[in-house]
Amino acid sequence: MKEIGNQAKAMGGTKALVVCGVSKHGEALGKDVAALLNGSGVASAIFAGAEPNPTDTSVHAGAKMYASESCDMVVAVGGGSPMDCAKGIGIVAANGGNIRDYEGGGHDLKPLPLLITVNTTAGTASEMTSFAVITDTSRHIKMALVDWRLTPDVAINDPELMVSMPPGLTAATGMDALTHSVEAFVSTIATPVTDAAALKSIELIKGYLPKAVSDGKNMEAREMMAYAEYLAGIAFNNASLGYVHAMAHQLGGFYNLPHGVCNAILLPYVQTFNKEAVPGRFVLIAKAMGVDVSKMSTDEAAAAAIDEIKALAAEVGIPSGLGEIGAKEEDLKMLAENAMKDICGMTNPREADLAEIIAIYKSAM
Ligand code: NDP
Ligand code: MN
């Protein structure tokens, strides 16, 4: 991160809007980044308004500040939330209107401001992806936005900044990264490039996530998780995701729950549904997680992959069901209807109807 001032200067920025979280931790990091920028002669204004599951309201407040402070670049510091908020700010700053106008993809966007992302969790890969996820406060849903122009110009992954993550956040964000790799690996548009990134990332997460959770100061584990989540980003940025994310977005948007926890709980249940469509893929996931599949049938090995995912989630302390985190049986139909509209579900390997999505939610309760 120490290089950020020189980098911003070299990119031609003169005044950066620094977008950070609302907590003491987030604000302090925003100040650190502003000081480093100022040290290289790049001025800054701090927008400490990116809350977890960042909202349309925050995006608009940030875009207003970008204009009133005459900024010409955006620097985000924090987890997926500040980074996605910064992407949203860039869209509105350059294109005007309401962030809701840009839901989904395929919009004819004007070029966005320069964007540097400093990532402090090991999960979302938002520091390098073309996705942003913004909560629509009027509909209580999370909108997925996808456009190549959302890809940050420079991504900084510094494991020193990840040491302060408590065990629960480490576990949730690490399981988010695992979800990215698994969904990308079984996606209908997977390629040899995304497969290589996904499998390596699955292997690293299995090996290092428990260590990062049990001892947050283990720098080898922190560094390997930073590589793992970035590799997962390469995979899903190109192969997209599946029903886990489509369904998790609804839980996150409606109940304001942590993204990684929603994914982690849903992951084995969605993959149980997916298994029959691409059993061979699950055999390779089992192998990447260290299972000796040599004496197993395809079905046994595919089932073992799902058992491994469940065991890893339990080992790092993920709650065992959606009921435990506050989801209500009576909301599942509405959540399922919205999940079917989420852009992330388009590449899921097995198509589900409404009743099947509801059944998956129920099985994960
Ligand atoms: P968040 O950015 O939401 O942060 C969660 C909490 O952790 C906040 O309170 C944050 O506070 C705190 N925090 C962040 N980093 C640290 C740290 N190093 N030490 C201590 N506390 C920390 O978490 P995620 O990274 O999981 O991001 C989740 C969001 O990203 C969701 O909205 C999700 O939908 C989205 N997402 C985006 C993707 C994309 O490609 N764009 C892909 C997947 C998910 P503070 O920030 O104030 O420090
Ligand atoms: Mn995710």
Side-chain angles (χ1 to χ4, degrees):
M1 186 172 81
K2 288 186 185 129
E3 292 299 320
I4 196 168
N6 294 336
Q7 184 64 44
K9 180 101 187 151
M11 289 161 75
T14 65
K15 185 165 184 182
L17 184 75
V18 176
V19 178
C20 61
V22 292
S23 70
K24 274 206 176 76
H25 170 264
E27 261 203 271
L29 273 178
K31 284 184 185 147
D32 289 349
V33 166
L36 288 165
L37 293 171
N38 296 349
S40 298
V42 177
S44 62
I46 300 179
F47 177 68
E51 71 279 69
N53 297 323
T55 60
D56 46 5
T57 318
S58 310
V59 166
H60 293 135
K64 213 170 151 189
M65 189 167 176
Y66 181 89
S68 67
E69 293 281 344
S70 306
C71 297
D72 55 14
M73 108 185 296
V74 180
V75 177
V77 58
S81 295
M83 294 190 285
D84 284 357
C85 185
K87 292 176 180 180
I89 289 170
I91 292 185
V92 175
N95 294 274
N98 191 295
I99 189 65
R100 222 178 298 140
D101 306 337
Y102 306 101
E103 187 175 3
H107 303 282
D108 193 15
L109 296 177
K110 296 196 187 102
L112 306 191
L114 288 169
L115 174 61
I116 301 181
T117 45
V118 184
N119 184 23
T120 66
T121 64
T124 71
S126 179
E127 78 278 8
M128 55 83 76
T129 69
S130 56
F131 291 84
V133 187
I134 306 291
T135 300
D136 178 339
T137 50
S138 59
R139 288 181 291 164
H140 302 286
I141 61 158
K142 289 181 94 167
M143 303 180 284
L145 288 72
V146 53
D147 192 292
W148 62 269
R149 298 170 190 85
L150 292 177
T151 310
D153 298 284
V154 171
I156 297 176
N157 271 305
D158 182 342
E160 299 274 349
L161 300 175
M162 298 165 185
V163 170
S164 56
M165 276 196 284
L169 182 63
T170 303
T173 52
M175 290 301 291
D176 183 24
L178 180 69
T179 307
H180 296 157
S181 288
V182 170
E183 293 212 280
F185 190 67
V186 301
S187 155
T188 54
I189 57 168
T191 69
V193 172
T194 60
D195 287 351
L199 286 179
K200 186 66 194 179
S201 134
I202 291 168
E203 181 194 315
L204 289 173
I205 293 166
K206 162 77 185 175
Y208 290 100
L209 181 59
K211 290 180 186 151
V213 170
S214 66
D215 174 14
K217 293 193 174 65
N218 180 331
M219 284 315 293
E220 188 194 7
R222 290 293 189 195
E223 188 175 3
M224 290 303 143
M225 280 307 299
Y227 280 119
E229 72 85 40
Y230 190 92
L231 283 165
I234 294 175
F236 90 87
N237 202 32
N238 294 286
S240 197
L241 295 163
Y243 287 155
V244 183
H245 272 76
M247 295 171 68
H249 287 157
Q250 314 317 319
L251 295 163
F254 192 69
Y255 304 113
N256 195 19
L257 293 167
H259 174 71
V261 174
C262 299
N263 275 336
I265 296 174
L266 288 169
L267 181 61
Y269 299 99
V270 173
Q271 302 321 321
T272 299
F273 174 81
N274 285 344
K275 194 167 50 121
E276 67 174 54
V278 281
R281 295 250 129 190
F282 285 97
V283 176
L284 295 173
I285 291 172
K287 276 173 86 174
M289 295 189 84
V291 178
D292 177 6
V293 298
S294 59
K295 293 189 181 66
M296 292 182 180
S297 68
T298 298
D299 280 353
E300 283 166 350
I306 291 164
D307 291 343
E308 279 294 317
I309 292 170
K310 272 194 184 155
L312 181 60
E315 185 182 0
V316 299
I318 297 291
S320 60
L322 297 175
E324 207 178 305
I325 59 170
K328 303 253 175 328
E329 199 87 28
E330 63 264 31
D331 297 331
L332 299 182
K333 180 165 179 283
M334 173 270 301
L335 295 170
E337 282 165 359
N338 288 329
M340 290 189 77
K341 296 181 210 148
D342 190 292
I343 194 171
C344 293
M346 283 169 51
T347 45
N348 196 74
R350 183 180 166 200
E351 204 173 323
D353 59 22
L354 181 65
E356 285 167 327
I357 298 281
I358 295 171
I360 298 170
Y361 272 131
K362 278 201 176 137
S363 65
M365 284 294 279

